[in-house]
Amino acid sequence: GDGEKDEGLTAPPRAMLPANDEGLDATLDGVIGDGENDGLMELESAGVGGEESKPVAAGGLCSCLTVGYYQPYFDIDTVDVYRRLKSTVTFMKDEETFLTSVSTKPDAYGPFWTATTLIFIISATSNISRYLAKGYNYDFELVSFCMSFIYGYLVVLATALWAAFTYFVKLPVRYMSLMCLVGYSFALYIPCTILATFSALSWPSIVLAGVGSTLFVLKSIVPVISARKEKAVTVLSLLVAAQVVFMLIIKFKFYSHSS
């Protein structure tokens, strides 16, 4: 009668209840989540820790040699590229570091075209500067050297930072995020190398570009590496030294004739 009806309304079906306490714990974990995993997700959102999500491409072990493997890194909106280029100038005002902002979707399109544009600008302005100082004397070797130097520095510095974070600092950072950081830092050299065409502005403009580019990279790197203070000084010192050498090579290789 009424007792059976009440029992049917209040008692949940037996199949919906966990068989034991472990089942109940598993159910709660599935709904609430794991605190450790939540913390890991926060680290990964800053481009730190975890495995980098790599594009899926056919070809097995040789898939990294295919165009399709890298295609996702070139799939980016023009608005995003513009915003990232703008951040290289406004980075001191931005609350979020560049490395954090690109962690969810690093791209290779921006770094590639920024480096390519810098190669074109340096090749053109260095020859114009040479013409203004010594008359027409086009040096095609400067173009080939500039191409090897800029592309090479982009890959070497990104790889060196990735290796330092992974094996020395023991705090893995996604490789493509570092590639993105270094590549976009070249944007500050573009207007400054145009100014370097003129002898009086050669040193000031290139030094300004070097300092700005280094500070841009440091603002993203320092918050991450500060967790390993005992090793931070070594990595940051080598990074600054590399940036100074890069700046000096640009000055003396491409613009020394105008001094």
Side-chain angles (χ1 to χ4, degrees), residues 12 112 125 129 155 163 165 185 221:
F112 171 77
T125 57
S129 179
V155 174
F165 274 106
S185 73
I221 295 297

Side-chain angles (χ1 to χ4, degrees), residues 6-228:
D6 293 340
E7 182 178 358
L9 290 173
T10 58
R14 185 173 299 276
M16 294 178 61
L17 292 174
N20 48 41
D21 292 341
E22 294 180 358
L24 180 59
D25 292 340
T27 302
L28 291 175
D29 288 341
V31 175
I32 298 175
D34 187 352
E36 294 182 356
N37 289 336
D38 293 341
L40 179 59
M41 290 175 64
E42 291 179 0
L43 283 175
E44 291 180 352
S45 68
V48 181
E51 294 292 332
E52 180 175 359
S53 56
K54 297 181 179 180
V56 179
L61 295 176
C62 296
S63 61
C64 62
L65 301 178
T66 64
V67 175
Y69 182 89
Y70 299 96
Q71 185 175 356
Y73 294 122
F74 288 86
D75 184 17
I76 185 171
D77 192 276
T78 306
V79 176
D80 292 331
V81 174
Y82 171 76
R83 185 173 63 251
R84 293 177 180 186
L85 287 171
K86 183 181 177 181
S87 69
T88 63
V89 179
T90 63
F91 67 94
M92 295 301 292
K93 298 180 180 179
D94 297 338
E95 295 182 1
E96 186 180 47
T97 67
F98 183 85
L99 199 60
T100 302
S101 66
V102 303
S103 61
T104 56
K105 191 178 180 181
D107 74 285
Y109 180 89
F112 171 77
W113 282 110
T114 302
T116 302
T117 302
L118 180 60
I119 291 169
F120 173 78
I121 294 297
I122 291 178
S123 300
T125 57
S126 63
N127 277 288
I128 293 174
S129 179
R130 179 185 294 269
Y131 169 76
L132 294 176
K134 301 179 180 180
Y136 184 78
N137 184 23
Y138 185 81
D139 188 358
F140 185 77
E141 290 184 2
L142 283 177
V143 179
S144 58
F145 176 82
C146 184
M147 184 179 298
S148 301
F149 176 60
I150 299 298
Y151 284 144
Y153 185 75
L154 171 61
V155 174
V156 169
L157 184 59
T159 303
L161 286 173
W162 174 82
F165 274 106
T166 303
Y167 300 107
F168 181 66
V169 183
K170 305 294 184 182
L171 193 63
V173 179
R174 294 183 177 93
Y175 178 78
M176 286 306 301
S177 295
L178 292 171
M179 176 73 75
C180 200
L181 175 67
V182 176
Y184 277 102
S185 73
F186 288 163
L188 293 168
Y189 273 95
I190 294 175
C192 292
T193 49
I194 294 176
L195 294 176
T197 304
F198 306 98
S199 177
L201 300 177
S202 178
W203 266 114
S205 60
I206 292 178
V207 169
L208 177 63
V211 171
S213 176
T214 302
L215 291 177
F216 172 73
V217 175
L218 287 177
K219 187 179 179 183
S220 286
I221 295 297
V222 170
V224 177
I225 203 172
S226 60
R228 303 287 190 273

